[in-house]
Amino acid sequence: MKVEVITDALTIVGEGPVWDDRRNKLYMTDILGKRFRTVDLKTGSVEDRVMPQQIGFIFLGEKGEIYCGAQKGIYEITDGNFEPFCVPEILKGNRFNEGKVGPDGRVYGGTISYDFSSAFYRLDGNGTLTELFDKVGNSNGLDWDLDKGLLYYTDTHTYKTDCFDFDGKGNIFNRRTVFEYKEGSPDGMCIDENGNLWTALWGVGKVICFDPSTSKVLEEIALPATQPSCCAFAGENLDTLVITSAAHGRIIREENLSGALFAVKPGVKGKKVNRFVRN
């Protein structure tokens, strides 16, 4: 597949691309740069805002709000402020790393640690944060196949993508493995219209697509950056796969697109992001 560079405005650790279909904008975060970035896919123009905390992921509200999972909790990003929505006294792990809104309008996301002391949580519309399971290393890619009633989930430190049965009422159960990675560190992930999963492989410069029902790899995208971090479907037709990457730890004069934002046309479409229903 032909890889295009949307913008070479580099990020230290680019992550969490989210397509806002109402505003026709792409949002993403630079975690270590503490930046919230807005990208125009047609022009490649970039707007950055510096945040008071590291942001792991971004999600959208049903009324057009923009929220994020950060170091200390969940916040709303407004034009001039960084408003706390859910800041628990105890949050396992170092910070929120990855999260998305489920088909039920709740947020599901987890934290990161280096000793499996993190956890995976559910955020309800009233601001209640519930731990769903612990002993998490690096909570990463997730997405849903609503037709099959499944939540797919990757913990980078296990080198596996698992799935759970998902009841649509905030409960997940019956965890089992659907794919084991043989190279790289599995990072961000998304699902396409056919129910196949696309995963960024940090450290080996690839994004792969696999069928979770057979564990068969269907596609492989080679990138001019060693550390792809996340992928998501974007654009007015949701037929563009955007891929974030990281410059952290790389020698930029040798790999000058580390931290850039890429795009490919994979021949399939994604799905609109779910929006958070706040009570």
Side-chain angles (χ1 to χ4, degrees):
M1 298 181 189
K2 182 181 179 181
V3 177
E4 298 181 356
V5 179
I6 298 175
T7 175
D8 60 1
L10 305 185
T11 51
I12 303 173
V13 179
E15 261 286 7
V18 174
W19 176 249
D20 187 338
D21 60 293
R22 298 180 187 174
R23 298 184 178 98
N24 288 327
K25 299 287 186 181
L26 182 79
Y27 306 123
M28 57 177 286
T29 175
D30 181 350
I31 298 177
L32 294 186
K34 290 187 177 180
R35 287 182 287 169
F36 168 73
R37 173 168 288 185
T38 303
V39 183
D40 187 314
L41 292 188
K42 292 183 178 179
T43 66
S45 66
V46 168
E47 293 181 15
D48 276 349
R49 285 181 56 189
V50 177
M51 297 286 104
Q53 298 179 29
Q54 293 180 358
I55 295 174
F57 66 93
I58 298 161
F59 61 98
L60 307 177
E62 64 171 349
K63 297 179 181 179
E65 312 100 317
I66 301 173
Y67 299 91
C68 68
Q71 288 174 272
K72 297 180 181 180
I74 305 295
Y75 294 79
E76 182 179 357
I77 300 173
T78 62
D79 287 339
N81 294 299
F82 191 71
E83 301 288 348
F85 177 66
C86 173
V87 182
E89 291 185 10
I90 298 175
L91 185 67
K92 292 183 178 179
N94 299 331
R95 57 166 170 77
F96 272 112
N97 187 66
E98 178 65 287
K100 291 180 179 177
V101 180
D104 56 353
R106 299 177 176 92
V107 178
Y108 296 80
T111 53
I112 181 174
S113 64
Y114 300 98
D115 58 358
F116 287 90
S117 61
S118 298
F120 187 76
Y121 297 91
R122 183 191 73 229
L123 175 70
D124 292 330
N126 61 3
T128 300
L129 192 68
T130 302
E131 181 183 311
L132 297 181
F133 58 88
D134 62 0
K135 296 182 174 60
V136 169
N138 181 358
S139 191
N140 236 312
L142 72 160
D143 218 327
W144 288 259
D145 189 327
L146 191 57
D147 293 336
K148 296 181 179 179
L150 298 175
L151 164 64
Y152 294 107
Y153 169 78
T154 300
D155 183 336
T156 297
H157 293 350
T158 68
Y159 298 95
K160 296 177 181 179
T161 292
D162 295 339
C163 78
F164 297 84
D165 292 325
F166 175 76
D167 68 359
K169 300 177 181 178
N171 302 306
I172 57 175
F173 47 92
N174 191 23
R175 183 174 184 173
R176 63 269 192 198
T177 297
V178 296
F179 192 82
E180 296 189 31
Y181 297 87
K182 305 302 183 184
E183 60 176 344
S185 297
D187 207 316
M189 180 177 71
C190 64
I191 195 168
D192 66 26
E193 61 185 347
N194 298 322
N196 298 318
L197 299 174
W198 298 77
T199 298
L201 296 181
W202 178 285
V204 294
K206 295 180 182 179
V207 170
I208 62 169
C209 172
F210 66 90
D211 181 343
S213 65
T214 64
S215 298
K216 181 181 179 181
V217 176
L218 305 175
E219 301 282 358
E220 182 177 297
I221 303 169
L223 298 162
T226 304
Q227 297 174 158
S229 52
C230 194
C231 51
F233 284 92
E236 294 179 9
N237 297 316
L238 292 174
D239 60 353
T240 299
L241 188 73
V242 296
I243 305 163
T244 55
S245 68
H248 178 62
R250 309 308 299 169
I251 299 175
I252 299 302
R253 66 176 178 271
E254 298 177 359
E255 193 177 304
N256 61 4
L257 288 176
S258 286
L261 178 67
F262 305 98
V264 298
K265 294 282 189 178
V268 294
K269 296 182 180 181
K271 303 176 181 180
K272 287 184 180 181
V273 295
N274 302 305
R275 290 179 178 261
F276 178 51
V277 180
R278 182 170 177 172
N279 297 343

